[in-house]
Amino acid sequence: MIDETHDPKRRSWVESANGHADFPIQNLPLGIFSPVDGDPRPGTAIGDSILDLRAIAHLLAVVPGEALSGTALNDLLARSPHERRALRQRLSALLSDQQHEPTLRTHLHDAAHCQLHLPARIGDYTDFYVGIHHATNIGKLLRPDTPLLPNYKWIPIGYHGRASSIRLSGDPVVRPVGQRREPDSPSPVFGPSARLDFELELGLWVGAGNPLGEPVAIADASRHMAGISLLNDWSARDFQAWEYQPLGPFLSKNFHSTISPWIVTMEALAPFRVAQAPRPEGDPKPLPYLWDDADQASGAFAIELEVTMTSLAMRDRDVAPQRLSLSDARAMYWTAAQMVAHHTVNGCNLNPGDFLGTGTLSTDSPGGLGSLMEMTLAGKAPITLPTGEQRAFLLDGDEISFSARAETRGFVTIGFGPCRAIIVEGMGHYRSVDACDTITLL
Ligand code: CA
Protein backbone atom coordinates (compact mmCIF):
# COMPACT_ATOMS: atom_id res chain seq x y z
CA MET A 1 0.00 0.00 0.00
CA ILE A 2 1.47 3.32 -1.11
CA ASP A 3 1.21 6.24 1.30
CA GLU A 4 2.95 9.47 2.27
CA THR A 5 6.01 7.54 3.50
CA HIS A 6 6.82 6.68 -0.13
CA ASP A 7 6.40 10.25 -1.39
CA PRO A 8 9.53 10.93 -3.48
CA LYS A 9 9.43 14.57 -2.39
CA ARG A 10 9.66 13.72 1.30
CA ARG A 11 13.02 14.74 2.77
CA SER A 12 14.62 14.23 6.15
CA TRP A 13 16.25 16.73 8.48
CA VAL A 14 19.00 14.08 8.69
CA GLU A 15 20.85 15.62 5.75
CA SER A 16 22.84 12.49 4.80
CA ALA A 17 19.56 10.66 4.13
CA ASN A 18 18.61 12.88 1.21
CA GLY A 19 20.01 11.24 -1.90
CA HIS A 20 21.46 8.35 0.13
CA ALA A 21 21.93 5.29 -2.09
CA ASP A 22 20.56 2.82 0.46
CA PHE A 23 18.79 4.58 3.30
CA PRO A 24 16.79 7.64 2.26
CA ILE A 25 13.72 8.43 4.40
CA GLN A 26 11.61 6.30 2.03
CA ASN A 27 13.39 3.14 3.27
CA LEU A 28 13.54 3.06 7.13
CA PRO A 29 14.85 -0.51 7.46
CA LEU A 30 14.90 -2.23 10.84
CA GLY A 31 17.91 -3.77 12.57
CA ILE A 32 19.74 -4.34 15.83
CA PHE A 33 22.75 -2.19 16.67
CA SER A 34 25.02 -1.21 19.54
CA PRO A 35 26.17 2.38 19.78
CA VAL A 36 29.67 3.03 21.09
CA ASP A 37 29.79 1.64 24.65
CA GLY A 38 26.11 0.64 24.45
CA ASP A 39 24.22 -2.65 24.45
CA PRO A 40 22.31 -4.07 21.47
CA ARG A 41 18.94 -2.46 20.70
CA PRO A 42 16.53 -1.93 17.79
CA GLY A 43 17.28 0.85 15.34
CA THR A 44 16.43 2.19 11.92
CA ALA A 45 19.00 3.28 9.34
CA ILE A 46 18.56 6.83 8.12
CA GLY A 47 21.30 8.10 5.79
CA ASP A 48 24.66 7.62 7.49
CA SER A 49 23.03 7.42 10.91
CA ILE A 50 21.07 4.98 13.01
CA LEU A 51 18.11 6.10 15.11
CA ASP A 52 17.78 4.36 18.48
CA LEU A 53 14.21 3.03 18.58
CA ARG A 54 14.42 1.80 22.16
CA ALA A 55 15.30 5.28 23.37
CA ILE A 56 12.32 6.82 21.60
CA ALA A 57 9.85 3.97 22.18
CA HIS A 58 7.58 6.40 24.10
CA LEU A 59 7.21 8.39 20.87
CA LEU A 60 6.36 5.25 18.92
CA ALA A 61 3.29 4.17 20.87
CA VAL A 62 1.80 2.61 17.72
CA VAL A 63 3.53 -0.63 18.72
CA PRO A 64 3.91 -1.98 22.28
CA GLY A 65 7.11 -0.81 23.97
CA GLU A 66 8.32 -4.37 24.57
CA ALA A 67 8.52 -4.91 20.81
CA LEU A 68 11.24 -2.22 20.74
CA SER A 69 13.13 -3.06 23.91
CA GLY A 70 14.78 -6.42 23.19
CA THR A 71 18.02 -7.42 21.53
CA ALA A 72 16.22 -9.06 18.59
CA LEU A 73 13.32 -7.94 16.41
CA ASN A 74 11.22 -11.12 16.64
CA ASP A 75 8.48 -9.45 18.70
CA LEU A 76 8.27 -6.60 16.24
CA LEU A 77 8.23 -8.97 13.26
CA ALA A 78 5.33 -10.79 14.89
CA ARG A 79 3.15 -7.66 14.87
CA SER A 80 0.59 -7.23 12.10
CA PRO A 81 1.52 -5.43 8.87
CA HIS A 82 -0.98 -2.80 9.97
CA GLU A 83 1.07 -2.08 13.11
CA ARG A 84 4.37 -2.11 11.23
CA ARG A 85 2.90 0.33 8.76
CA ALA A 86 1.80 2.61 11.60
CA LEU A 87 5.35 2.45 13.01
CA ARG A 88 6.76 3.34 9.61
CA GLN A 89 4.38 6.28 9.23
CA ARG A 90 5.32 7.55 12.68
CA LEU A 91 9.07 7.20 12.01
CA SER A 92 8.71 8.90 8.66
CA ALA A 93 6.86 11.82 10.28
CA LEU A 94 9.40 12.15 13.08
CA LEU A 95 12.38 12.10 10.72
CA SER A 96 10.89 14.47 8.15
CA ASP A 97 9.37 17.14 10.39
CA GLN A 98 12.08 19.52 11.57
CA GLN A 99 10.28 20.24 14.84
CA HIS A 100 11.30 16.77 16.12
CA GLU A 101 15.01 17.30 15.49
CA PRO A 102 15.86 18.69 18.95
CA THR A 103 14.22 15.68 20.66
CA LEU A 104 15.66 13.03 18.35
CA ARG A 105 19.12 14.35 17.59
CA THR A 106 20.66 12.83 20.73
CA HIS A 107 19.31 9.40 19.77
CA LEU A 108 20.96 9.44 16.35
CA HIS A 109 24.26 7.57 16.12
CA ASP A 110 26.89 7.69 13.43
CA ALA A 111 26.49 4.31 11.71
CA ALA A 112 30.23 4.10 11.08
CA HIS A 113 30.80 3.85 14.85
CA CYS A 114 28.01 1.40 15.61
CA GLN A 115 28.17 -2.36 15.70
CA LEU A 116 25.41 -4.20 13.88
CA HIS A 117 23.98 -7.56 14.97
CA LEU A 118 21.73 -10.22 13.51
CA PRO A 119 18.34 -8.49 13.39
CA ALA A 120 16.38 -11.43 14.79
CA ARG A 121 16.79 -14.81 16.43
CA ILE A 122 16.45 -17.07 13.42
CA GLY A 123 14.69 -20.20 14.60
CA ASP A 124 14.59 -21.91 11.25
CA TYR A 125 16.15 -21.29 7.89
CA THR A 126 14.74 -22.77 4.69
CA ASP A 127 16.44 -22.44 1.33
CA PHE A 128 14.31 -22.55 -1.80
CA TYR A 129 15.44 -22.94 -5.41
CA VAL A 130 13.09 -20.58 -7.25
CA GLY A 131 15.69 -18.89 -9.48
CA ILE A 132 14.72 -20.67 -12.69
CA HIS A 133 17.74 -19.60 -14.75
CA HIS A 134 20.10 -20.79 -12.02
CA ALA A 135 18.24 -24.09 -11.77
CA THR A 136 18.42 -24.44 -15.56
CA ASN A 137 22.13 -23.54 -15.74
CA ILE A 138 23.06 -25.99 -12.97
CA GLY A 139 20.77 -28.63 -14.45
CA LYS A 140 22.46 -28.25 -17.86
CA LEU A 141 25.85 -29.02 -16.29
CA LEU A 142 24.45 -32.25 -14.86
CA ARG A 143 21.80 -33.25 -17.41
CA PRO A 144 22.22 -31.39 -20.72
CA ASP A 145 19.04 -32.93 -22.17
CA THR A 146 16.67 -32.30 -19.23
CA PRO A 147 18.08 -29.46 -17.15
CA LEU A 148 14.89 -28.98 -15.10
CA LEU A 149 13.47 -31.98 -13.31
CA PRO A 150 9.72 -32.59 -13.85
CA ASN A 151 8.73 -31.35 -10.38
CA TYR A 152 10.28 -27.89 -10.83
CA LYS A 153 7.26 -26.21 -12.40
CA TRP A 154 4.82 -27.77 -9.92
CA ILE A 155 6.61 -27.35 -6.58
CA PRO A 156 8.66 -24.47 -5.16
CA ILE A 157 11.64 -26.77 -4.45
CA GLY A 158 13.37 -26.21 -1.11
CA TYR A 159 15.20 -27.86 1.77
CA HIS A 160 15.73 -27.11 5.43
CA GLY A 161 18.97 -25.23 6.01
CA ARG A 162 20.90 -24.46 9.17
CA ALA A 163 20.00 -21.33 11.17
CA SER A 164 22.87 -21.53 13.68
CA SER A 165 25.56 -20.68 11.13
CA ILE A 166 23.90 -17.58 9.67
CA ARG A 167 26.24 -14.65 10.25
CA LEU A 168 26.18 -10.94 9.60
CA SER A 169 27.91 -9.21 6.72
CA GLY A 170 31.59 -8.69 7.55
CA ASP A 171 32.18 -11.91 9.49
CA PRO A 172 34.92 -13.91 7.73
CA VAL A 173 34.00 -17.26 6.19
CA VAL A 174 36.29 -20.09 7.25
CA ARG A 175 36.92 -22.42 4.34
CA PRO A 176 35.20 -25.68 5.26
CA VAL A 177 36.92 -29.03 5.41
CA GLY A 178 35.27 -32.25 4.34
CA GLN A 179 34.93 -35.13 1.91
CA ARG A 180 34.97 -34.90 -1.83
CA ARG A 181 35.37 -37.49 -4.54
CA GLU A 182 37.28 -36.84 -7.73
CA PRO A 183 35.41 -38.01 -10.85
CA ASP A 184 37.53 -41.10 -11.58
CA SER A 185 38.27 -42.11 -8.03
CA PRO A 186 36.42 -44.90 -6.20
CA SER A 187 36.91 -43.31 -2.78
CA PRO A 188 36.77 -39.77 -1.42
CA VAL A 189 39.61 -37.59 -0.16
CA PHE A 190 39.47 -35.33 2.87
CA GLY A 191 40.55 -31.70 2.97
CA PRO A 192 39.59 -28.07 2.52
CA SER A 193 36.96 -27.43 -0.13
CA ALA A 194 38.61 -26.72 -3.48
CA ARG A 195 35.36 -25.53 -5.03
CA LEU A 196 34.10 -22.84 -2.68
CA ASP A 197 31.38 -20.72 -4.26
CA PHE A 198 28.89 -17.99 -3.41
CA GLU A 199 25.15 -17.93 -4.09
CA LEU A 200 23.35 -14.65 -4.74
CA GLU A 201 19.98 -14.82 -2.97
CA LEU A 202 17.33 -12.77 -1.27
CA GLY A 203 16.16 -13.83 2.19
CA LEU A 204 12.57 -13.36 3.27
CA TRP A 205 11.88 -12.64 6.95
CA VAL A 206 8.76 -14.32 8.26
CA GLY A 207 6.50 -11.96 10.23
CA ALA A 208 3.51 -13.37 12.08
CA GLY A 209 3.71 -17.15 12.32
CA ASN A 210 1.04 -19.81 11.83
CA PRO A 211 0.00 -22.49 14.35
CA LEU A 212 1.08 -26.07 13.64
CA GLY A 213 -1.55 -27.71 11.49
CA GLU A 214 -2.95 -24.47 10.07
CA PRO A 215 -1.61 -23.72 6.59
CA VAL A 216 -1.25 -20.14 5.38
CA ALA A 217 -3.54 -19.62 2.38
CA ILE A 218 -1.74 -17.96 -0.50
CA ALA A 219 -4.08 -14.97 -0.37
CA ASP A 220 -3.00 -14.43 3.28
CA ALA A 221 0.71 -15.07 2.73
CA SER A 222 1.65 -11.41 2.45
CA ARG A 223 0.44 -10.88 6.03
CA HIS A 224 3.13 -13.33 7.15
CA MET A 225 6.03 -11.65 5.34
CA ALA A 226 7.88 -8.90 7.20
CA GLY A 227 10.79 -7.93 4.99
CA ILE A 228 13.84 -8.85 2.94
CA SER A 229 17.61 -8.96 3.41
CA LEU A 230 20.43 -10.05 1.10
CA LEU A 231 21.73 -13.59 1.53
CA ASN A 232 24.95 -15.23 0.42
CA ASP A 233 24.43 -18.97 0.75
CA TRP A 234 28.10 -20.06 0.55
CA SER A 235 28.46 -23.48 -1.03
CA ALA A 236 31.22 -26.09 -1.22
CA ARG A 237 30.48 -27.54 -4.66
CA ASP A 238 32.89 -30.48 -4.30
CA PHE A 239 31.32 -31.62 -1.03
CA GLN A 240 27.85 -31.06 -2.48
CA ALA A 241 28.43 -33.27 -5.51
CA TRP A 242 29.52 -36.18 -3.28
CA GLU A 243 27.02 -35.87 -0.44
CA TYR A 244 23.76 -34.64 -1.96
CA GLN A 245 22.22 -37.92 -3.05
CA PRO A 246 19.74 -39.10 -1.91
CA LEU A 247 18.77 -36.56 0.77
CA GLY A 248 20.06 -33.22 -0.54
CA PRO A 249 22.72 -30.74 0.59
CA PHE A 250 24.20 -31.01 4.10
CA LEU A 251 27.77 -29.98 5.03
CA SER A 252 28.27 -28.30 1.66
CA LYS A 253 25.86 -25.58 2.75
CA ASN A 254 25.62 -25.37 6.53
CA PHE A 255 29.10 -24.07 7.41
CA HIS A 256 28.21 -20.39 6.96
CA SER A 257 25.59 -18.14 5.38
CA THR A 258 26.02 -14.35 5.26
CA ILE A 259 23.16 -11.85 5.47
CA SER A 260 22.95 -8.07 5.22
CA PRO A 261 22.17 -6.42 8.57
CA TRP A 262 18.97 -4.52 7.75
CA ILE A 263 15.44 -5.82 7.25
CA VAL A 264 13.97 -3.80 4.40
CA THR A 265 10.29 -4.03 5.27
CA MET A 266 7.53 -5.19 2.97
CA GLU A 267 5.95 -1.79 3.61
CA ALA A 268 9.06 -0.03 2.26
CA LEU A 269 9.05 -2.37 -0.75
CA ALA A 270 5.40 -1.64 -1.66
CA PRO A 271 6.23 0.63 -4.64
CA PHE A 272 8.57 -2.01 -6.04
CA ARG A 273 6.05 -4.84 -6.24
CA VAL A 274 5.54 -5.80 -9.87
CA ALA A 275 3.62 -8.44 -11.76
CA GLN A 276 5.07 -11.92 -11.75
CA ALA A 277 6.38 -12.73 -15.24
CA PRO A 278 3.79 -14.83 -17.07
CA ARG A 279 4.68 -18.51 -17.19
CA PRO A 280 6.13 -19.45 -20.57
CA GLU A 281 3.73 -21.08 -23.00
CA GLY A 282 3.34 -24.75 -22.21
CA ASP A 283 4.22 -24.46 -18.50
CA PRO A 284 1.57 -25.96 -16.22
CA LYS A 285 -0.71 -23.71 -14.18
CA PRO A 286 0.15 -24.34 -10.53
CA LEU A 287 -2.24 -26.26 -8.29
CA PRO A 288 -4.95 -24.04 -6.76
CA TYR A 289 -3.25 -23.69 -3.37
CA LEU A 290 -0.31 -22.02 -5.15
CA TRP A 291 -2.33 -19.67 -7.31
CA ASP A 292 -3.70 -16.25 -6.46
CA ASP A 293 -4.53 -13.66 -9.10
CA ALA A 294 -3.60 -10.74 -6.82
CA ASP A 295 -0.24 -12.38 -6.08
CA GLN A 296 0.41 -12.85 -9.80
CA ALA A 297 -0.43 -9.17 -10.36
CA SER A 298 2.05 -7.84 -7.78
CA GLY A 299 4.03 -10.73 -6.28
CA ALA A 300 7.42 -10.01 -7.84
CA PHE A 301 10.03 -7.44 -6.81
CA ALA A 302 11.79 -4.84 -8.96
CA ILE A 303 15.13 -5.36 -7.25
CA GLU A 304 18.45 -5.25 -9.06
CA LEU A 305 21.23 -7.34 -7.52
CA GLU A 306 24.96 -6.84 -7.96
CA VAL A 307 27.95 -9.03 -7.11
CA THR A 308 31.47 -7.66 -6.90
CA MET A 309 34.72 -9.31 -5.92
CA THR A 310 38.21 -8.38 -4.79
CA SER A 311 41.22 -10.63 -4.27
CA LEU A 312 43.94 -10.04 -1.71
CA ALA A 313 46.23 -8.86 -4.53
CA MET A 314 43.57 -6.45 -5.80
CA ARG A 315 43.15 -4.90 -2.37
CA ASP A 316 46.93 -4.72 -1.90
CA ARG A 317 47.23 -2.77 -5.14
CA ASP A 318 44.09 -0.68 -4.54
CA VAL A 319 42.40 -2.13 -7.60
CA ALA A 320 38.66 -1.36 -7.69
CA PRO A 321 36.29 -4.30 -7.11
CA GLN A 322 35.45 -6.33 -10.19
CA ARG A 323 31.75 -6.66 -10.98
CA LEU A 324 30.92 -10.32 -11.48
CA SER A 325 27.20 -10.05 -12.02
CA LEU A 326 24.20 -7.77 -12.38
CA SER A 327 21.15 -9.87 -11.65
CA ASP A 328 17.48 -9.30 -10.91
CA ALA A 329 14.92 -10.55 -8.41
CA ARG A 330 12.44 -10.94 -11.26
CA ALA A 331 14.25 -14.19 -12.05
CA MET A 332 12.08 -15.90 -9.42
CA TYR A 333 9.84 -18.54 -11.02
CA TRP A 334 7.78 -18.74 -7.80
CA THR A 335 6.72 -15.73 -5.75
CA ALA A 336 7.47 -15.20 -2.06
CA ALA A 337 3.77 -15.83 -1.32
CA GLN A 338 3.94 -19.14 -3.18
CA MET A 339 6.99 -20.08 -1.10
CA VAL A 340 5.09 -19.35 2.14
CA ALA A 341 1.91 -21.12 0.98
CA HIS A 342 3.86 -24.19 -0.08
CA HIS A 343 6.01 -24.27 3.06
CA THR A 344 2.92 -24.35 5.28
CA VAL A 345 0.46 -26.34 3.16
CA ASN A 346 1.21 -29.54 5.06
CA GLY A 347 0.62 -27.75 8.37
CA CYS A 348 4.27 -26.85 9.00
CA ASN A 349 4.40 -23.85 11.32
CA LEU A 350 6.51 -20.79 10.57
CA ASN A 351 7.62 -18.51 13.40
CA PRO A 352 8.42 -14.79 13.49
CA GLY A 353 12.05 -14.36 12.46
CA ASP A 354 12.25 -17.52 10.38
CA PHE A 355 14.29 -16.92 7.26
CA LEU A 356 13.43 -18.19 3.76
CA GLY A 357 16.13 -18.02 1.07
CA THR A 358 14.95 -17.68 -2.51
CA GLY A 359 17.72 -19.79 -4.00
CA THR A 360 20.34 -18.37 -6.33
CA LEU A 361 19.03 -15.61 -8.58
CA SER A 362 20.54 -15.56 -12.05
CA THR A 363 19.12 -13.83 -15.10
CA ASP A 364 19.07 -15.49 -18.50
CA SER A 365 22.05 -13.41 -19.65
CA PRO A 366 25.77 -14.22 -19.18
CA GLY A 367 26.26 -10.98 -17.21
CA GLY A 368 23.60 -11.88 -14.67
CA LEU A 369 24.79 -15.14 -13.11
CA GLY A 370 24.49 -15.66 -9.35
CA SER A 371 27.29 -18.17 -8.72
CA LEU A 372 30.80 -19.02 -9.93
CA MET A 373 29.58 -22.53 -10.74
CA GLU A 374 27.53 -20.99 -13.55
CA MET A 375 30.05 -18.31 -14.58
CA THR A 376 32.95 -20.75 -14.93
CA LEU A 377 30.92 -23.72 -16.20
CA ALA A 378 31.76 -25.76 -13.11
CA GLY A 379 35.36 -24.56 -13.15
CA LYS A 380 36.12 -25.24 -16.83
CA ALA A 381 36.16 -21.59 -17.88
CA PRO A 382 37.84 -19.50 -15.15
CA ILE A 383 37.20 -15.79 -14.90
CA THR A 384 40.10 -13.33 -15.07
CA LEU A 385 40.51 -10.54 -12.53
CA PRO A 386 42.06 -7.12 -13.34
CA THR A 387 45.35 -8.33 -11.81
CA GLY A 388 45.47 -11.20 -14.31
CA GLU A 389 44.63 -13.71 -11.58
CA GLN A 390 42.21 -16.44 -12.57
CA ARG A 391 39.40 -17.91 -10.54
CA ALA A 392 37.39 -21.04 -11.12
CA PHE A 393 36.27 -20.97 -7.48
CA LEU A 394 37.14 -18.78 -4.48
CA LEU A 395 40.60 -18.67 -2.92
CA ASP A 396 41.50 -17.57 0.60
CA GLY A 397 41.56 -13.79 0.80
CA ASP A 398 38.85 -13.33 -1.84
CA GLU A 399 36.02 -11.04 -0.81
CA ILE A 400 32.53 -11.31 -2.30
CA SER A 401 30.18 -8.37 -1.87
CA PHE A 402 26.47 -8.12 -2.75
CA SER A 403 24.44 -4.96 -3.05
CA ALA A 404 20.90 -4.37 -4.26
CA ARG A 405 18.57 -1.59 -5.28
CA ALA A 406 14.79 -1.55 -5.39
CA GLU A 407 14.06 0.77 -8.25
CA THR A 408 11.00 1.90 -10.17
CA ARG A 409 9.90 4.98 -12.03
CA GLY A 410 8.37 7.72 -9.90
CA PHE A 411 9.82 6.54 -6.57
CA VAL A 412 13.03 7.03 -4.65
CA THR A 413 15.43 4.09 -5.06
CA ILE A 414 16.19 2.23 -1.83
CA GLY A 415 19.00 -0.20 -1.00
CA PHE A 416 19.78 -3.00 1.41
CA GLY A 417 23.23 -2.19 2.79
CA PRO A 418 26.20 -4.49 2.26
CA CYS A 419 26.35 -8.28 2.32
CA ARG A 420 30.02 -9.14 2.13
CA ALA A 421 32.61 -11.49 3.55
CA ILE A 422 36.21 -12.57 3.04
CA ILE A 423 37.24 -16.22 2.73
CA VAL A 424 39.87 -17.23 5.26
CA GLU A 425 42.00 -20.36 5.50
CA GLY A 426 40.39 -23.45 6.96
CA MET A 427 40.86 -24.64 10.53
CA GLY A 428 44.56 -24.99 11.24
CA HIS A 429 44.41 -28.29 13.10
CA TYR A 430 43.20 -30.05 9.97
CA ARG A 431 46.40 -29.00 8.23
CA SER A 432 48.33 -31.75 9.96
CA VAL A 433 45.93 -34.51 8.99
CA ASP A 434 47.73 -36.78 6.51
CA ALA A 435 44.71 -37.25 4.31
CA CYS A 436 44.30 -33.52 3.89
CA ASP A 437 45.52 -32.68 0.42
CA THR A 438 46.22 -29.18 -0.80
CA ILE A 439 43.74 -27.01 -2.63
CA THR A 440 43.93 -27.42 -6.36
CA LEU A 441 42.21 -24.88 -8.48
CA LEU A 442 41.51 -26.46 -11.83
CA1 CA B 1 21.15 -21.78 -1.92
Side-chain angles (χ1 to χ4, degrees):
M1 201 181 294
I2 308 294
D3 60 27
E4 74 281 4
T5 65
H6 305 100
D7 182 350
K9 291 199 280 298
R10 183 164 278 205
R11 293 171 66 82
S12 176
W13 49 262
V14 180
E15 264 312 314
S16 65
N18 303 315
H20 196 277
D22 284 338
F23 308 128
I25 192 165
Q26 288 79 8
N27 193 342
L28 303 175
L30 302 169
I32 296 287
F33 80 106
S34 301
V36 179
D37 298 330
D39 54 341
R41 66 197 69 183
T44 190
I46 178 79
D48 295 332
S49 298
I50 300 175
L51 178 64
D52 182 342
L53 299 184
R54 186 178 72 184
I56 63 160
H58 60 288
L59 300 174
L60 302 170
V62 289
V63 293
E66 59 265 27
L68 295 170
S69 62
T71 57
L73 293 174
N74 298 67
D75 289 350
L76 187 58
L77 298 179
R79 312 306 304 183
S80 69
H82 174 76
E83 285 169 286
R84 269 201 314 279
R85 183 167 174 236
L87 173 67
R88 172 180 167 82
Q89 288 169 326
R90 182 75 181 130
L91 281 173
S92 180
L94 288 170
L95 285 164
S96 58
D97 188 339
Q98 192 95 39
Q99 67 165 319
H100 299 294
E101 181 178 355
T103 320
L104 295 188
R105 182 60 78 176
T106 53
H107 304 300
L108 270 183
H109 300 269
D110 183 351
H113 297 134
C114 294
Q115 190 186 352
L116 289 159
H117 307 279
L118 283 179
R121 288 181 307 274
I122 303 171
D124 274 301
Y125 160 44
T126 302
D127 198 21
F128 282 89
Y129 196 55
V130 306
I132 189 166
H133 305 300
H134 170 77
T136 306
N137 293 338
I138 296 293
K140 269 185 196 155
L141 294 169
L142 303 171
R143 300 171 300 274
D145 298 333
T146 50
L148 286 182
L149 291 171
N151 58 5
Y152 191 84
K153 293 182 172 177
W154 294 97
I155 294 176
I157 300 293
Y159 72 99
H160 285 119
R162 182 82 192 164
S164 68
S165 52
I166 296 179
R167 290 291 182 276
L168 211 61
S169 174
D171 272 19
V173 175
V174 175
R175 180 180 299 274
V177 173
Q179 288 192 29
R180 66 172 183 274
R181 199 191 67 174
E182 303 299 339
D184 300 322
S185 171
S187 53
V189 294
F190 178 80
S193 171
R195 300 186 136 217
L196 189 54
D197 199 356
F198 65 86
E199 289 195 331
L200 174 63
E201 304 196 17
L202 290 178
L204 182 72
W205 292 96
V206 172
N210 61 300
L212 183 66
E214 293 183 24
V216 174
I218 187 160
D220 296 331
S222 61
R223 292 200 286 112
H224 295 264
M225 306 188 301
I228 289 180
S229 295
L230 306 182
L231 164 65
N232 187 340
D233 185 38
W234 304 97
S235 300
R237 302 295 182 196
D238 38 4
F239 302 169
Q240 188 175 354
W242 172 230
E243 75 177 2
Y244 87 104
Q245 289 172 320
L247 287 185
F250 186 38
L251 303 185
S252 56
K253 300 281 186 174
N254 69 5
F255 55 94
H256 198 124
S257 307
T258 301
I259 64 170
S260 56
W262 295 102
I263 299 178
V264 177
T265 65
M266 285 301 167
E267 293 73 41
L269 289 167
F272 311 100
R273 301 303 294 263
V274 293
Q276 176 72 350
R279 294 194 150 211
E281 184 109 18
D283 282 11
K285 182 169 180 176
L287 296 175
Y289 81 93
L290 289 171
W291 189 265
D292 177 59
D293 287 337
D295 179 48
Q296 291 298 308
S298 63
F301 296 95
I303 300 176
E304 185 181 70
L305 307 157
E306 184 173 7
V307 183
T308 62
M309 164 174 183
T310 59
S311 67
L312 204 56
M314 287 170 71
R315 293 194 300 280
D316 277 349
R317 294 179 214 170
D318 262 339
V319 177
Q322 163 107 326
R323 180 195 278 173
L324 297 187
S325 178
L326 198 58
S327 186
D328 199 298
R330 280 162 283 204
M332 289 166 64
Y333 186 76
W334 298 95
T335 66
Q338 286 173 320
M339 286 159 50
V340 168
H342 184 65
H343 203 311
T344 61
V345 73
N346 64 344
C348 175
N349 54 321
L350 298 176
N351 288 306
D354 283 358
F355 197 61
L356 312 181
T358 55
T360 307
L361 298 175
S362 300
T363 67
D364 59 359
S365 98
L369 303 176
S371 68
L372 281 174
M373 184 77 175
E374 295 165 86
M375 285 176 211
T376 69
L377 301 173
K380 289 193 208 64
I383 56 168
T384 304
L385 300 174
T387 43
E389 299 170 276
Q390 291 204 317
R391 288 292 184 276
F393 292 96
L394 297 170
L395 292 188
D396 296 346
D398 289 347
E399 181 179 62
I400 293 291
S401 184
F402 297 169
S403 61
R405 293 162 288 279
E407 206 164 9
T408 199
R409 189 192 296 260
F411 290 90
V412 173
T413 298
I414 62 174
F416 289 73
C419 179
R420 61 169 173 251
I422 292 183
I423 308 298
V424 298
E425 187 180 338
M427 290 157 282
H429 57 279
Y430 283 105
R431 288 281 163 195
S432 60
V433 175
D434 287 344
C436 176
D437 50 354
T438 53
I439 297 171
T440 47
L441 238 191
L442 297 172

